[in-house]
Each structure stands twice: as structure tokens, then as C-alpha cells.
Amino acid sequence: MKRLIALFSLLLIHSLALAQGRGLPDFTELVEKQGAAVVNISTTQTIRGHGQAMPFPFDENDPAYDFFKRFMPRLPGEGAPREFQNKSLGSGFIISADGYILTNAHVVDSADEVTVRLTDKREFKARTIGADKRTDIALVKIEASGLPAVKMADPAQLKVGEWVVAIGSPFGFENSVTAGIVSAKGRALPQENYVPFIQTDVAINPGNSGGPLFNMRGEVVGINSQIYSRSGGFMGLSFAIPIDVAMEIQGQLRSTGKVSRGRIGVVIQEVSKELAESLGLSQPMGAVVNAVEPGGPAEKAGLEAGDVILRFDGKTVGSSSELPRMVASVRPGTRATVQVWRKGATQDIALTVGEMAEEKQAGGRTPRGSKTPEQAANRLGLVVSELSAEQKRELKLNAGLLIEEVRSVGARADLRPGDIVIAVISRGATTELRSVDQFNKLLARFEKGSNVTLLIRRGEMQTFVTIRNLSGD
């Protein structure tokens, strides 16, 4: 009996070992076949200035040299004109045999000279066809033929948990291979509205930027673009631009040298659970319109603040981060249908997509009201006053109350003095505020523990603010 148990144990251990062996990926064939299509990119930027430079405490070959050269201040004073060479390294990959190469826009940004080095040690001076900073994609060209090119994958088929491989030049170490898994898809990053990033735990460091991210079939699924780090080095969070986004951008760069994007002229925000309840939506989805640009495509078509955009051009808007990408991908001048949720029902609105221009810096003044000494805070802990006719004309508002002071609940909701409460939203109905007395009566109707959603004007921007778990009177 003991022999049988021992034999069974040995068989079990052997089976587990075989199973673990089958589960470990082998990247050698992938690297051998695809490594030659990955290139090293070095750039030089000439900076002209006057005065004496502060001495650097590092040798030029030290990785810290570039950091201090870029950020260490110069000593003031007169001096002969001097030229400084700012050099940087990155990666790229060949997408066609005639020398077109994809990389990141930040790799070649402001470069006076771009040099591409192949794995066979050949070097070429490259020409930048175009760069798009919004997606961080650049297309460069070298004069060569018969080059090895990568194959493209469909990022839609990529699965979370799948093995992926990066090849690049971290810190200048050419054709370095790192591997990991897909951590998430469709990541929206701050200030990055046009890329649904692929998140991985592949080790990415300075110099990897612009290099390819491969699936196990040797197909490119993305371009390694950035990392999340508190130290400046790799901490397990890497982000890649999906290759379908990059290929669409490079197509426009190749044909026109620039990227044309659609726009509809709305300011949006995410639909929270509480806001969905206030608007009468069955679940949080879509993008709620905070403000509509005067004279823009959305206003001309009849979109209004408070509308929730559920579908755009036949595609479902699951979250607000998806809408900018959908709109930007539509060619300007195209007629598109927008499905909105308004006053408890869906409505289809046709509009003509405009063309995105350079972003404008929002401005605006904070109005001043006149708080009377006897005025008390309302149920939300807000001291509000009515706008004068002159203030309404200046702000181009028909209604609204100025917040003079914020106490208790209002403070927790990030309401501030100077904000203007335009309306209260409840169960899909929007009620514009025209007097303090009206506001107080509306608040009195809410039961204890319920949520109150307000439409707030702050400077030139409008936003929805939900105050949760309303207290008693």
C-alpha cells in the first residue's frame, strides 16, 4: 500500500511539473523572427544660448547626465553665444519594407537630426513625415529597401492576462527583450483623451518609448509609450498605444503630414451612480453634457446641457472617456446621429461633425454678489444670493444663484464660494434656480439620506455635482 501511495505521489509531481512546463512561454522564436524589425532611434537637438553653463557633476556616459543637462539652471551673465547638443534615445519599428518606421512623437519632438540604427549596425538619417502629440505617434522614413517589417495584430482580440513581449532600447541597450502580461485594456489616463491604452506589467524604461509590443504570435499589438512611476523608473505599470489607433494616425500622417479630427463642441463628464439616479437613468452610462459651445456643431443641432449622450454614430458610449475618441475618429464634415437621454426619454439628434482646432485656454471672471448679514445657510450648508440683472447679462445666464459661503455638506462636495448653482436635477427633471426661496423649497422636498445633483457654473466651465446622503433639516 505504501508503495502504491509513493508511486501515485511521484506521478502527481511529474504531472504537475509537465503542466507547469507547458504553461511557461518560450519567446526565443518570436525574438529571432521579429527582432530585426525593431530599430534604435537617436535624436539631436541644438540649443543656442548665451552665458556660461553651470558645470555638470556627471560624465556624459552617465545616465544621470541627460537629466541634469536638461533641468540644471544656467548661471546668469554675459558671454559669447554657445550651442548645446541635447541628445535622446528611443525605439521604433519598421512597418514597410521601403523604410517607414513608427515611433512616439515625444521621441522625435523638436529634433534637428534623427538617426535610425538597425540590428545589422547600419545607420540612416531619418526624415520625420509627421507627428501627432495628442496620440504620441510619429512616422519617420529612411531611404532603404528590402527591410524586415512587422505584422500587425487586431488589438480587439487581445485578452487581459495574455502574454506580451516588448523589444526596445532601454537606457540605450539595443534590442533588449522584456515580457509580461496584459493587465487591462481601454485605460483612460489623465490628459490623454484619444487613446484607449493597453496596460501591461512589461518592464519599460527610458529608451523603450516607441518600441513595439508583441503578442505571442509575433504580431504588434501596441506601441510602448509611457509608464506610471513615482521614482522615474519601472514600477509595474506600463502603457501602450493600440496598434489600430497608431496605424490610423500614420495613414493620415503619410498622406497629408497632419491629423484631422472631428469635434462637436461639448464639455462632458462621467455619469456617476448618483447622477444617473437624478437623471432617471437605469444605470450609469454615457457622457453627460455640462456645457455646449456657442455656435458649435452640438448647439446648432440642438444639444443641451444636461443631455446624456448614450450613442454616437451608431456606437454605444459606455463611459465619458470613450466619447472623445469616437468623435475624433469621424472625418470633419460627416453627418452623424447622436442619441441622448433628455427628460426621461431617448432622442436622436443629427449633427454635422466639425474639425478640431488648437485647444483654447478657458478664461472668465468670478462674479461678486451681496450677501446680507441675516442670510443663513440652507439645507446643503450653502449661503447663496440671487444674481443681479447685470451679472446675468455678463454671464449670459437666465437663472442661477451665487454661492457666497460654503459650510458642512457643501464643503464635502467641493463646492466653492463664487460658484453659481444653475439648476437642481432630480428624477430626470431639471429645475432652473431663480430665487433663494425657490431653492430652499426644492431642497425641503428631498428625503433624509437621498442624493441631490446640482448643475454648477465655475468660471467658463459647467459641471454636475452630486451631494450624497442628504441630512435632515
Side-chain angles (χ1 to χ4, degrees):
M1 185 66 180
K2 290 182 179 180
R3 289 183 178 180
L4 288 175
I5 293 175
L7 181 60
F8 178 77
S9 299
L10 288 172
L11 289 172
L12 180 60
I13 293 170
H14 181 65
S15 299
L16 288 172
L18 288 175
Q20 290 174 351
R22 286 197 302 269
L24 295 175
D26 183 355
F27 307 116
T28 55
E29 185 177 351
L30 184 158
V31 175
E32 288 172 0
K33 289 184 177 180
Q34 305 301 328
V38 182
V39 303
N40 172 271
I41 297 178
S42 60
T43 65
T44 302
Q45 179 186 11
T46 302
I47 302 174
R48 296 173 177 84
H50 290 77
Q52 181 181 2
M54 182 177 287
F56 295 113
F58 298 96
D59 181 79
E60 290 190 16
N61 295 320
D62 194 303
Y65 176 82
D66 284 337
F67 176 87
F68 275 86
K69 186 174 182 179
R70 184 175 180 182
F71 295 107
M72 184 174 281
R74 306 279 178 189
L75 288 173
E78 296 297 326
R82 297 189 58 183
E83 290 188 351
F84 307 98
Q85 296 292 326
N86 184 24
K87 298 182 179 181
S88 63
L89 292 173
S91 304
F93 54 99
I94 303 167
I95 62 172
S96 64
D98 57 349
Y100 282 97
I101 295 169
L102 273 181
T103 185
N104 284 147
H106 75 262
V107 170
V108 298
D109 185 34
S110 302
D112 297 314
E113 187 177 275
V114 179
T115 302
V116 171
R117 181 182 174 93
L118 308 185
T119 56
D120 61 10
K121 308 305 179 185
R122 285 186 293 167
E123 290 190 358
F124 297 85
K125 298 300 180 185
R127 174 169 54 98
T128 301
I129 303 299
D132 179 53
K133 291 185 178 181
R134 282 191 169 102
T135 55
D136 198 22
I137 295 296
L139 181 68
V140 301
K141 176 74 165 63
I142 60 175
E143 297 304 319
S145 60
L147 298 175
V150 299
K151 296 179 180 179
M152 307 301 176
D154 178 6
Q157 304 302 316
L158 189 67
K159 296 181 179 180
V160 175
E162 183 176 335
W163 281 97
V164 282
V165 176
I167 304 179
S169 304
F171 300 107
F173 295 104
E174 299 179 20
N175 283 86
S176 296
V177 182
T178 53
I181 62 168
V182 176
S183 303
K185 293 174 58 179
R187 284 292 195 217
L189 302 182
Q191 309 304 319
E192 303 282 358
N193 296 324
Y194 304 104
V195 178
F197 284 96
I198 301 168
Q199 179 187 331
T200 76
D201 67 353
V202 178
I204 300 297
N205 284 290
N208 274 115
S209 294
L213 184 71
F214 291 99
N215 62 21
M216 289 302 292
R217 293 182 293 278
E219 302 164 332
V220 176
V221 295
I223 301 179
N224 297 309
S225 176
Q226 55 185 292
I227 61 174
Y228 179 87
S229 174
R230 293 178 177 174
S231 65
F234 174 69
M235 294 184 69
L237 290 170
S238 307
F239 298 94
I241 303 161
I243 195 61
D244 57 343
V245 173
M247 292 303 290
E248 195 279 329
I249 296 298
Q250 74 83 28
Q252 292 193 51
L253 293 176
R254 191 184 297 203
S255 61
T256 65
K258 64 176 185 177
V259 177
S260 178
R261 288 186 173 86
R263 62 181 295 275
I264 60 175
V266 293
V267 178
I268 59 173
Q269 77 178 67
E270 190 72 13
V271 179
S272 65
K273 179 178 179 294
E274 294 79 14
L275 181 55
E277 292 174 355
S278 299
L279 296 171
L281 279 170
S282 60
Q283 59 180 331
M285 64 178 299
V288 63
V289 177
N290 291 342
V292 181
E293 177 189 304
E299 186 191 57
K300 292 178 181 178
L303 264 73
E304 303 173 357
D307 288 345
V308 179
I309 300 177
L310 301 177
R311 294 177 65 84
F312 179 82
D313 198 30
K315 300 182 182 70
T316 300
V317 181
S319 64
S320 62
S321 63
E322 297 175 4
L323 183 62
R325 297 193 289 266
M326 292 180 182
V327 176
S329 66
V330 176
R331 189 177 299 276
T334 302
R335 291 284 289 177
T337 300
V338 182
Q339 185 185 81
V340 301
W341 177 263
R342 179 186 294 174
K343 297 179 180 178
T346 57
Q347 182 177 338
D348 289 340
I349 298 175
L351 55 73
T352 301
V353 177
E355 184 169 5
M356 184 178 296
E358 291 297 320
E359 294 178 323
K360 296 181 180 180
Q361 185 67 31
R365 291 181 294 170
T366 300
R368 291 294 181 199
S370 55
K371 181 185 67 173
T372 56
E374 66 274 8
Q375 201 168 3
N378 61 21
R379 191 178 177 187
L380 297 180
L382 304 176
V383 177
V384 296
S385 63
E386 296 168 10
L387 296 174
S388 66
E390 182 182 352
Q391 287 173 331
K392 290 179 181 178
R393 283 195 302 271
E394 183 180 350
L395 296 166
K396 298 179 181 180
L397 290 174
N398 296 321
L401 302 175
L402 176 65
I403 298 179
E404 300 278 5
E405 188 177 344
V406 180
R407 305 172 190 167
S408 60
V409 178
R412 294 202 306 270
D414 192 30
L415 294 171
R416 310 171 191 174
D419 288 350
I420 297 171
V421 187
I422 297 176
V424 176
I425 298 91
S426 176
R427 298 177 181 176
T430 300
T431 305
E432 291 187 335
L433 298 177
R434 301 184 182 278
S435 71
V436 175
D437 183 60
Q438 176 204 15
F439 191 19
N440 290 335
K441 288 179 179 178
L442 283 173
L443 294 177
R445 298 176 187 172
F446 287 89
E447 296 179 0
K448 184 178 180 180
S450 60
N451 302 321
V452 178
T453 298
L454 308 177
L455 176 59
I456 300 295
R457 169 84 169 263
R458 179 174 295 165
E460 295 293 324
M461 305 296 291
Q462 290 186 181
T463 185
F464 289 95
V465 174
T466 299
I467 299 174
R468 300 171 176 83
N469 299 320
L470 189 64
S471 61
D473 293 317

